[in-house]
Amino acid sequence: MQTVSRSDQAARAQDTAREDTSPTVEVPPVTSGKHQVVIIGGGFGGLYAAQQLGRADVEVTLIDKRNFHLFQPLLYQVATGGLSPGDIASPLRGILSAQKNTRVLMGEVTNVDPGQQMVSLADGRIVPYDSLIVATGMSHFYFGRDDWAEVAPGLKTVEDALEMRRRIFAAFEKAENTADPELRQTLLTFVIVGGGPTGVELAGALAELAFHTLPNDFRHIDTTDSRILLIEGMDRVLPPFPPELSTRANTDLEKMGVEVLTQSLVTDISGHQITLKQGDEVTTLQAGTVLWAAGVRDPGMGGILAESTGAERDRSGRVIVNNDLSLPTHPNIFVVGDLAHFAHQGDRPLPGVAPVAMQEGKYVAKLIQKQLKNDTLPPFEYKDTGSLAVIGRHAAVVNLPWAKLTGFFAWFVWLFVHIFYLIEFDNKLVVMTQWVANYFTRKQGSRLITEKVFEKGEARAPATPG
Amino acid sequence: MQTVSRSDQAARAQDTAREDTSPTVEVPPVTSGKHQVVIIGGGFGGLYAAQQLGRADVEVTLIDKRNFHLFQPLLYQVATGGLSPGDIASPLRGILSAQKNTRVLMGEVTNVDPGQQMVSLADGRIVPYDSLIVATGMSHFYFGRDDWAEVAPGLKTVEDALEMRRRIFAAFEKAENTADPELRQTLLTFVIVGGGPTGVELAGALAELAFHTLPNDFRHIDTTDSRILLIEGMDRVLPPFPPELSTRANTDLEKMGVEVLTQSLVTDISGHQITLKQGDEVTTLQAGTVLWAAGVRDPGMGGILAESTGAERDRSGRVIVNNDLSLPTHPNIFVVGDLAHFAHQGDRPLPGVAPVAMQEGKYVAKLIQKQLKNDTLPPFEYKDTGSLAVIGRHAAVVNLPWAKLTGFFAWFVWLFVHIFYLIEFDNKLVVMTQWVANYFTRKQGSRLITEKVFEKGEARAPATPG
């Protein structure tokens, strides 16, 4: 690998700083002379890379905007009141505290300079690297209608999940408060856009809420009057799964009370009105709550990287990588996880799921260690360990390379896998405890409405008679 | 009791509604003809009153701005990252769902009309009552310096706790990011104003964080350089406790690394500078984080009640009540919990603690049932079951009527009592599990920095060398 020595870089960085008007300050390594691995993003890809480098003879700097790793596969349970954010988040410093060669920097990367081999943070700090791993993930995408973000929140961050939770439980409260039967039915109508795993899991959890958890909690409304619609553009839900599992998921969802609309596109959202196109037919429906679980887009880091390195990207903004996950133009810059477009295996890029990110992160970490010994590794190869999606109580689909599971057993496998991969020991314990309690009581204890209780004016509906 | 029949009230309410320009709408009872008990506030006082009335031949309407009951005695653990908000909050509807004569209304009371016997909500709804129980509690008080609220957040709501948590953990992050040793020490200085139970508990939890949880998590700062100061105006911490327990708490705090300043008054807070008056001596100190745990004040409901009923109030705004907790002017309006000034026992009003609120709520509920049978109860009498405050790991003080406990045993009693009184079964389980994990790992897993990551400009400190 061609790298400039760190002290040269530091000198040049400080020159740059002097020329610049902003107070640019270098963050020097803890131990100078060590090969500097900088990782941007503490999700599955970045964290697994950092952990794999724990005993390596390098210094690792993990940069994240947030101070915690988020276990995104369970975020839908925060959105629906089953778990608390703290149950599925782990402080990055805590996870990595015993790893002495690793430091965590909280900050937002605004630029990558592949010539000087350093990244710049929004606050003016610059961090030199010898190897750079970019693992910043993807955001959701409104297909060009960014104005829908206001009416149809997505589910990527803790704040997103709390906003969904607020809207879901406020909708029931507003329905309880109104005397207008039409408005009440609108408020009890929930539309989930996108029939991938997140959409399916949200729809199932909402059905559990409306039809099992909440019915006895209200006196003026019957929450079983709720309509929960899952809208998918393709011809079946869970498109990445084998067709027979999609069919089973569809049946399970309908049994739970979810209306599944496939081959349906949302063409407009305006206030409470949603316009759908199903083939040539255009229909509208009234829904108080719209949840977005469709589309992926680079939230910005892919663009920064493309601009500074000339890296190519796909339509969604993913960065196209070599078969060792490095950039074609820069062998010491790697992209892993959802942001990487890896198409060297099969005819499609690898899916944006946690196991891919974990394996990619580990691979790059191992490759860097090999490179330091002037050795290399065979190209990255994703080992498909299976994919799973939960639908509801006793219902899930699991697609293993050697078997397809459904129903109770699949649900049990899903539970086990999620507990197993939760990062911290106390999260494993607490989530398990909470799930056991939720299972038996069917209560979802974390359905707090916080921050804005209602949007301004939302609570101003007239009261309802008995 | 003199009450107007409910249907008369409804008619009059609707007349009022017609005269008014705002869309006033009555919320009629679920079962007409039943004696209507309206409870404002779902804290300990209101909730225990509602539960006591569960089998009574009345209809209960519990009104709260929030959709959950908050177990405030553990709020300091949310502020310091030990627990999640969902662990100590329970949905009011969930708690009361099996109680068929009870409904929950989410809304904010803006007026009480004792003539018409009804309360008005901010959204225009009006709720008629035959008996009214006001249990809205108290807020913190900045001794006339409301501008300090910005720099020194208090601890009453979930949002307060999350804001404290954000500031505490962001302070360590900012200290890690700065190269200025003076600023770093300021950022590592935490001042807690108020040496009552909340202040003592916050100080102890912060000491545990700085000196035991975090030291290995940072690479550029030593969190054991932190200073934690507890400021109390009286001559000892925990003033309501017997002097020997205050002395013991003081010793325990100092052993944990907290600097306790008694007979000290905060006279000014300006940016990072805090001015203290100790006797005639005026000193200043620099602190990055100031937490407020002093002063109580009526947040508004006491004023509304005083204005509409002519009820008298004390200096803090508490409503002065009869020995049966009713208003001298209106025998069918009761005030319970922190907002009630009950001075018929001893020479001081009862303290604003959970056991007082619980007993008062239950008493009024029983009294209303007696009154419906044209019977009455002897005056309310608070049975002091003891008071407790935790200082840290293995350290607490417990003041029982028949014994004073300190150290490990007191700490164990404290743990047990708090688990016991947590409202919901799943919260008991989860908090117990989380505590066991926290005890053994000494990690505080819920230290998420959410919403604003840093205040605008806060992260712009220069980076630090090794």
Side-chain angles (χ1 to χ4, degrees), chain B residues 389-426:
Chain B
V390 73
I391 297 145
R393 203 178 173 81
H394 305 176
V397 289
V398 176
N399 184 34
L400 300 173
W402 42 272
K404 292 176 186 61
L405 312 176
T406 59
F408 184 84
F409 186 58
W411 177 73
F412 205 78
V413 169
W414 182 91
L415 289 178
F416 178 80
V417 167
H418 283 75
I419 290 286
F420 184 82
Y421 279 103
L422 270 170
I423 301 294
E424 282 191 315
F425 175 69
D426 67 328

Side-chain angles (χ1 to χ4, degrees), chain B residues 78-220:
Chain B
V78 174
T80 51
L83 293 175
S84 287
D87 302 341
I88 61 161
S90 307
L92 285 167
R93 295 192 184 283
I95 306 170
L96 297 167
S97 68
Q99 200 168 303
K100 294 301 169 203
N101 69 342
T102 303
R103 63 177 169 182
V104 176
L105 292 187
M106 216 177 139
E108 189 179 349
V109 173
T110 50
N111 196 29
V112 173
D113 183 339
Q116 311 258 16
Q117 292 189 190
M118 58 192 199
V119 302
S120 311
L121 305 188
D123 59 9
R125 285 178 291 169
I126 52 171
V127 187
Y129 66 81
D130 295 313
S131 302
L132 177 67
I133 305 175
V134 180
T136 47
M138 295 288 270
S139 172
H140 37 74
F141 181 46
Y142 291 94
F143 304 120
R145 292 296 301 266
D146 288 351
D147 53 314
W148 293 354
E150 266 298 298
V151 274
L155 189 63
K156 279 285 175 185
T157 65
V158 165
E159 287 81 2
D160 288 344
L162 296 181
E163 176 61 16
M164 272 198 185
R165 185 177 79 179
R166 191 189 71 75
R167 290 190 187 212
I168 292 166
F169 294 105
F172 288 108
E173 294 292 339
K174 286 184 273 176
E176 174 87 351
N177 286 355
T178 186
D180 175 347
E182 212 171 299
L183 177 59
R184 193 187 306 157
Q185 190 53 58
T186 297
L187 288 167
L188 291 179
T189 303
F190 299 85
V191 168
I192 298 120
V193 185
T198 303
V200 165
E201 285 163 353
L202 275 174
L206 267 173
E208 178 75 20
L209 269 181
F211 304 132
H212 298 285
T213 302
L214 298 181
N216 294 323
D217 282 9
F218 291 87
R219 299 290 178 260
H220 300 277

Side-chain angles (χ1 to χ4, degrees), chain B residues 311-350:
Chain B
E312 271 184 82
R313 300 202 291 157
D314 68 13
R315 251 177 7 134
S316 303
R318 289 187 204 88
V319 178
I320 293 164
V321 289
N322 286 337
N323 63 12
D324 65 351
L325 298 160
S326 67
L327 293 188
T329 50
H330 296 83
N332 66 333
I333 301 182
F334 303 89
V335 184
V336 302
D338 292 9
L339 186 63
H341 178 113
F342 183 91
H344 305 270
Q345 196 177 336
D347 48 357
R348 282 198 205 186
L350 292 175

Side-chain angles (χ1 to χ4, degrees), chain A residues 191-196 199-200 203 227-240 243 245-251 253-254 258-266 275-283 285:
Chain A
V191 168
I192 298 120
V193 184
V200 166
R227 287 185 70 192
I228 295 152
L229 296 105
L230 180 64
I231 315 283
E232 167 58 42
M234 310 276 269
D235 60 343
R236 56 192 176 96
V237 296
L238 301 178
L245 291 185
S246 294
T247 308
R248 175 62 186 256
N250 203 109
T251 317
L253 283 168
E254 284 175 346
V258 176
E259 300 169 50
V260 182
L261 304 182
T262 52
Q263 291 186 293
S264 304
L265 294 170
V266 174
T275 310
L276 292 181
K277 198 162 165 258
Q278 298 170 289
D280 292 332
E281 207 181 324
V282 173
T283 52
L285 60 94

Side-chain angles (χ1 to χ4, degrees), chain A residues 92-136:
Chain A
L92 285 167
R93 294 191 184 284
I95 305 170
L96 297 167
S97 69
Q99 201 168 303
K100 293 302 170 205
N101 69 342
T102 303
R103 63 177 169 182
V104 175
L105 292 187
M106 214 178 141
E108 188 179 351
V109 173
T110 51
N111 196 29
V112 174
D113 183 338
Q116 311 259 14
Q117 291 189 190
M118 58 192 199
V119 301
S120 312
L121 305 189
D123 60 9
R125 284 179 291 169
I126 51 172
V127 187
Y129 66 81
D130 295 312
S131 302
L132 178 66
I133 305 175
V134 180
T136 48

Side-chain angles (χ1 to χ4, degrees), chain A residues 444-463:
Chain A
Q444 305 275 85
S446 296
R447 43 191 156 111
L448 290 62
I449 302 178
T450 50
E451 299 295 336
K452 313 160 275 187
V453 173
F454 292 120
E455 300 277 358
K456 211 171 153 57
E458 277 185 349
R460 307 225 157 238

